[in-house]
């Protein structure tokens, strides 16, 4: 596969969540459940998110598979009495 020039590159954006957990952050792409990434701090988690997304999209492109559409899940709090 030939290398793309800057003019051929396209920029894609996807919603990402950084879930704080013990020892760092889980990286979650609601539209792409196949991506699993982690960072020890938010800076590292962001870098891992970019790298994971780039690798995932490049693999789809190589296989000539259509990219998924971004999705933003509905978020709300559920309250219950116990």
């Amino acid at each position: 596969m030939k290398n793309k020039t800057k003019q051929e590159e396209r920029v894609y954006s996807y919603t990402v969540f950084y879930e704080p957990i013990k020892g760092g952050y889980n990286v979650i792409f609601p539209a792409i459940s196949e991506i699993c990434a982690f960072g020890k701090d938010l800076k590292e988690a962001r870098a891992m998110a970019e790298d994971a997304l780039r690798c995932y999209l490049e693999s789809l492109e190589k296989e000539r598979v259509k990219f998924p559409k971004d999705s933003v899940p509905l978020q709300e709090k559920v309250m219950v009495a116990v």
Side-chain angles (χ1 to χ4, degrees):
M1 187 166 147
K2 71 176 188 169
N3 290 336
K4 289 184 177 183
T5 66
K6 286 286 182 187
Q7 291 177 334
E8 293 178 277
E9 289 182 341
R10 291 181 299 277
V11 175
Y12 296 92
S13 67
Y14 284 85
T15 301
V16 62
F17 294 122
Y18 300 100
E19 177 188 24
I21 61 169
K22 185 177 180 179
Y25 291 86
N26 270 336
V27 176
I28 301 163
F29 286 90
I32 310 171
S33 61
E34 296 87 351
I35 294 179
C36 181
F38 171 83
K40 290 183 247 174
D41 55 37
L42 197 49
K43 181 178 178 180
E44 183 179 69
R46 285 183 175 128
M48 296 301 288
E50 288 179 23
D51 187 54
L53 180 60
R54 183 182 308 103
C55 289
Y56 180 78
L57 295 178
E58 286 174 350
S59 71
L60 292 182
E61 186 175 59
K62 186 176 180 180
E63 298 293 323
R64 291 189 156 86
V65 174
K66 188 176 178 180
F67 291 0
K69 291 186 179 196
D70 190 25
S71 67
V72 180
L74 175 63
Q75 177 181 335
E76 65 184 14
K77 292 187 180 192
V78 176
M79 295 175 25
V80 298
V82 180

